Amino acid sequence: MPEPLTAADLLSLEQYARARPAIRVRMIAHRATRRLQVGLHCSWSFEDRDTVRYQVQEMLRTERVFEPAGIAEELAAYNPLIPDGCNFTATMLIEYTDPLERARRLTELRGIERRCWIQVAGLPPVYAIADEDLPRENATKTSAVHFLRFTLEAGSAAVLRGGAALAAGIDLPAYSARLDPVPAGLRAALLADLD
């Protein structure tokens, strides 16, 4: 099980400012291997310790946080996104470029975060547990950003490690998509997240 990030894992704001250009190039490439386009308007960016560290560093930079209490607060918010060895975590983005269409679709897509699934070949789908940090849906619309956790049973993880294909999708009536199988590169990256 990966260790949670601590302040010792982070660069100071000054160190990060100097290293940021090289880190950013590396993280763009790394994130590309962990991204899944699910239909035309939805993407999942699967998190790992490196992507979470990068996100924390970016938040500290943007908000100019350097005090220990503020750093601890960011770590507490983002550490739950690190996979724990038996799950995959992802940030889901719902993407519509036109603001009017986005507003209309976010109303129609209420509940989409609970209809996201992954499936190890032939086994039942595993639906995401969504937004454990705070509700991102209200009575009229959903958010354009959701945090998903897919927890695999030990048997499913073993079958996946043994070479089984992995599928993913969304089965909300207002938005349906299926990828079967997920790309080999992403499957390999996700296997590294398992114990």
Side-chain angles (χ1 to χ4, degrees):
M1 179 169 160
E3 292 293 319
L5 293 169
T6 68
D9 296 311
L10 304 173
L11 299 173
S12 71
L13 291 180
E14 292 166 357
Q15 292 169 321
Y16 187 65
R18 286 191 296 273
R20 185 174 182 256
I23 292 170
R24 190 167 184 276
V25 167
R26 189 180 86 247
M27 289 309 300
I28 288 170
H30 180 68
R31 279 196 175 278
T33 67
R34 301 183 65 83
R35 186 175 183 279
L36 183 65
Q37 188 67 39
V38 186
L40 294 175
H41 300 284
C42 190
S43 65
W44 299 350
S45 181
F46 286 91
E47 306 294 351
D48 67 4
R49 200 165 195 273
D50 289 336
T51 65
V52 172
R53 180 185 303 119
Y54 178 66
Q55 186 62 35
V56 169
Q57 291 279 186
E58 284 291 304
M59 292 301 294
L60 296 175
R61 175 186 170 273
T62 300
E63 297 174 4
R64 303 280 188 239
V65 174
F66 59 89
E67 294 180 0
I71 293 169
E73 191 175 301
E74 293 297 333
L75 289 168
Y78 285 96
N79 266 327
L81 293 177
I82 298 173
D84 68 7
C86 66
N87 65 24
F88 305 131
T89 62
T91 301
M92 177 175 75
L93 301 176
I94 301 171
E95 304 163 305
Y96 290 90
T97 54
D98 177 79
L100 294 176
E101 181 183 17
R102 182 173 50 251
R104 180 178 57 81
R105 293 295 287 157
L106 290 178
T107 297
E108 297 168 356
L109 297 177
R110 285 185 68 242
I112 190 171
E113 67 277 11
R114 293 182 299 278
R115 303 309 305 166
C116 299
W117 54 268
I118 60 168
Q119 183 177 26
V120 177
L123 298 174
V126 174
Y127 283 86
I129 298 169
D131 303 325
E132 294 173 288
D133 59 338
L134 58 98
R136 296 179 187 277
E137 174 184 273
N138 62 35
T140 60
K141 68 180 183 73
T142 193
S143 172
V145 179
H146 294 278
F147 298 105
L148 310 176
R149 180 169 51 89
F150 301 94
T151 299
L152 297 177
E153 294 180 7
S156 297
V159 170
L160 187 60
R161 274 192 221 93
L166 182 67
I170 300 171
D171 65 9
L172 186 74
Y175 191 100
S176 181
R178 179 180 180 91
L179 288 94
D180 191 3
V182 301
L186 174 60
R187 183 186 176 284
L190 293 175
L191 277 176
D193 295 340
L194 298 175
D195 281 338

